[in-house]
Amino acid sequence: MTIARELAKRVTAMSCENLPPEVIDWCKVAVLDTVGVALAGSVEDAPRMVEDVLGLQSGDGPCLVFGTNRRVRPLDAALVNGTAAHALDFDNTAKNLGGHVSAVMVPALIAAGEAFGAGGREILLAHAAGYEVGARIGRCVNPYHTEKGWHPTATLGVFAVASACARLLELSEAETETALVLAASLSAGIKANFGTMTKPLHAGQCARGGLLAVLLARKGFTANADAFEHKQGFFNVFNGRGNYDAARALEGWDEWEIASPGASYKLYPCCYSTHAAVEAALNLARRHGPFDTRNVARVDSWTAARGLAHTDRPDPDSTLAAKFSVQYCVARALMHGKVVLEHFEGDAWRDPAVRELLPRVHAAPYTGKPFADDDPFDAEVKVTLSDGRSFSEKVDRPLGRTSDNPIPPEHLKAKFENCASRVLTPQAAAAVCSRMDTFEELGSMRDFTRLLEPAAVAAKPVRQAVKGGVA
């Protein structure tokens, strides 16, 4: 029996009745967090450009385009909303998948739920199914896969989306197998495009691709059942012989990855590989600052080499590049004692004060013993002042990295309300939060997305794309 069939067997066997309470709770957290960052991201240029290029018209379908009152076809909604969900890089990640997980699943699931009829309980079950499959395929290929330069959010996330949507639409075991192997040909995304609009597009394409695979499989579309293990299949093509362990996809199914280690949630709207350094810098600012940049002689930031490969950007040239610059993020933390959405909007990256400090912020690989060999998110930051005094701070792992050190619920709620406020009134945002408390009792996704429709939508001009981001 193929790997795809074995995974399909496990997905189709899942039911609402066998979901532990903690799995339901974590899925609700994931949906709320993803909807929040998608609403905030919906006003960014990347999803609006995608919508413009698609030429979408209101009334094309039943699925809400976040940040608007327009409703379009499910594949289009998945693409645009998936791009919005990852536009700010504020969405959750999964350790073993090696990338962002709910931003690719939730937009596809909501669109499919609106188009084909599904309630909250079914969405939560589907999210759990997709999370488990994505994490286990990630176990097979990581860390080699991500270190090679693939973007797992998209290359592996497409299997999470396909599994989730297959469970939601109640595909048979054979149809789910087909959806998974079809998705192998829709897997794409390279890290070279980090720091540009193409990175969130990876998430949008992934959301659309996974849902497309399911809709095609549902129609009887064909694909090669051994597309994972074939000599020219996913594992060999993406990782190469000797660089994967296919058996790991079928291990540990008596445990729930979404409960432990769980997803990682963000308090700062920038690449997760910068977060430990940001927290170290924030601790320094709380104890000794915020710092007057005129008195700072040098800042040293040490983070894991794996993450530094895509966050060592001493001279970011756009808002998007700034999100992937550990130097910029650390500088903001030291200067302000916080790192917030406003630091990555408009021309914030051009701020003379931060530009003046950046040449004195130096990034290098962390050389101490990592907190966990398979999860290297340690960081250390040292500030040396002009008078010779120095202060340093070390962080083993950022708050919210796993379910063992979760972000307090009230902080996640505040994050949602802050993100949603870019589209919704405070009262509307509060209503969405309240609805999430009993999300599993919701009978219709259309009823839920009506809560996400803004009372009035202000037109936002689309800026011209330039090197590395937007002008």
Side-chain angles (χ1 to χ4, degrees):
M1 193 172 286
T2 66
I3 288 173
R5 177 54 71 99
E6 289 286 357
L7 291 173
K9 182 189 299 185
R10 288 157 173 78
V11 168
T12 54
M14 290 186 185
S15 68
C16 294
E17 291 68 31
N18 64 22
L19 286 185
E22 63 270 23
V23 169
I24 294 173
D25 289 343
W26 281 116
C27 286
K28 288 165 68 173
V29 170
V31 172
L32 181 66
D33 190 73
T34 304
V35 169
V37 298
L39 288 172
S42 71
V43 301
E44 295 295 306
D45 289 340
R48 296 285 72 87
M49 286 183 181
V50 171
E51 187 182 359
D52 288 346
V53 167
L54 292 175
L56 303 184
Q57 301 295 320
S58 185
D60 282 352
C63 307
L64 182 69
V65 175
F66 290 177
T68 78
N69 294 307
R70 295 186 290 279
R71 290 187 175 268
V72 299
R73 295 176 296 253
L75 291 174
D76 292 330
L79 173 57
V80 176
N81 294 338
T83 303
H86 196 42
L88 297 173
D89 221 287
F90 210 3
D91 47 302
N92 72 9
T93 65
K95 172 186 170 184
N96 286 321
L97 182 134
H100 299 259
V101 60
S102 297
V104 297
M105 287 196 291
V106 172
L109 288 171
I110 289 178
E114 290 178 287
F116 300 101
R121 190 176 302 274
E122 292 75 31
I123 294 290
L124 298 177
L125 170 64
H127 182 276
Y131 192 103
E132 299 305 310
V133 169
R136 281 164 180 78
I137 295 178
R139 287 183 188 178
C140 298
V141 298
N142 284 325
Y144 183 87
H145 186 81
T146 184
E147 291 173 350
K148 184 177 173 67
W150 296 116
H151 183 198
T153 296
T155 57
L156 306 183
V158 70
F159 303 116
V161 178
S163 301
C165 292
R167 179 60 275 182
L168 184 72
L169 299 184
E170 299 182 331
L171 267 60
S172 68
E173 188 177 303
E175 291 169 335
T176 302
E177 175 190 39
T178 297
L180 282 166
V181 295
L182 202 165
S185 283
L186 301 175
S187 173
I190 55 173
K191 286 186 175 181
N193 275 316
F194 278 22
T196 74
M197 293 181 188
T198 303
K199 185 174 188 278
L201 179 62
H202 289 174
Q205 284 281 61
C206 176
R208 183 186 188 279
L211 178 55
L212 175 63
V214 166
L215 297 180
L216 290 172
R218 198 169 177 240
K219 289 287 188 181
F221 214 80
T222 63
N224 190 354
D226 68 344
F228 282 105
E229 56 267 64
H230 190 278
K231 66 180 180 180
Q232 293 181 317
F234 179 82
F235 289 140
N236 284 318
V237 171
F238 276 73
N239 273 51
R241 292 187 182 279
N243 297 314
Y244 63 88
D245 183 357
R248 299 199 69 192
L250 308 180
E251 294 175 353
W253 279 89
D254 55 339
E255 300 173 348
W256 291 91
E257 283 260 346
I258 194 168
S260 181
S264 299
Y265 288 88
K266 291 185 170 188
L267 282 175
Y268 321 112
C270 46
C271 179
Y272 206 92
S273 294
T274 71
H275 279 217
V278 166
E279 288 196 7
L282 289 175
N283 289 340
L284 287 171
R286 279 190 285 267
R287 292 181 180 131
H288 308 286
F291 291 91
D292 184 337
T293 59
R294 295 170 297 180
N295 297 330
V296 175
R298 180 183 176 98
V299 178
D300 288 286
S301 169
W302 295 278
T303 53
R306 187 188 304 173
L308 192 60
H310 53 266
T311 59
D312 184 8
R313 299 170 186 254
D315 187 26
D317 59 0
S318 71
T319 55
L320 290 171
K323 287 177 176 285
F324 289 85
S325 168
V326 68
Q327 294 93 334
Y328 180 90
C329 295
V330 165
R332 284 294 189 185
L334 293 172
M335 292 169 60
H336 308 290
K338 60 184 179 180
V339 176
V340 294
L341 285 168
E342 288 75 15
H343 293 153
F344 304 95
E345 293 183 333
D347 288 338
W349 63 278
R350 297 183 190 268
D351 178 7
V354 76
R355 301 307 300 187
E356 195 271 335
L357 178 59
L358 276 176
R360 285 172 276 152
V361 182
H362 305 271
Y366 180 70
T367 56
K369 186 183 187 312
F371 177 81
D373 291 335
D374 64 341
D375 194 34
F377 274 87
D378 304 46
E380 184 174 1
V381 173
K382 178 181 178 181
V383 176
T384 302
L385 301 182
S386 302
D387 62 10
R389 289 181 299 154
S390 65
F391 310 98
S392 63
E393 184 79 19
K394 182 181 181 299
V395 169
D396 286 330
R397 57 178 174 171
L399 184 66
R401 177 60 184 162
T402 68
S403 57
D404 290 335
N405 64 333
I407 296 170
E410 61 271 21
H411 291 180
L412 286 174
K413 180 182 177 183
K415 173 187 171 181
F416 172 82
E417 291 176 343
N418 177 254
C419 286
S421 69
R422 292 164 183 258
V423 172
L424 304 179
T425 65
Q427 294 78 10
V432 177
C433 276
S434 178
R435 178 74 270 190
M436 283 304 305
D437 289 339
T438 56
F439 187 78
E440 64 271 36
E441 300 173 11
L442 187 67
S444 165
M445 272 303 100
R446 294 194 197 182
D447 289 344
F448 179 68
T449 56
R450 287 191 190 101
L451 297 176
L452 307 180
E453 293 183 3
V457 183
K460 182 174 186 289
V462 174
R463 291 169 283 174
Q464 293 299 308
V466 297
K467 175 186 175 186
V470 292

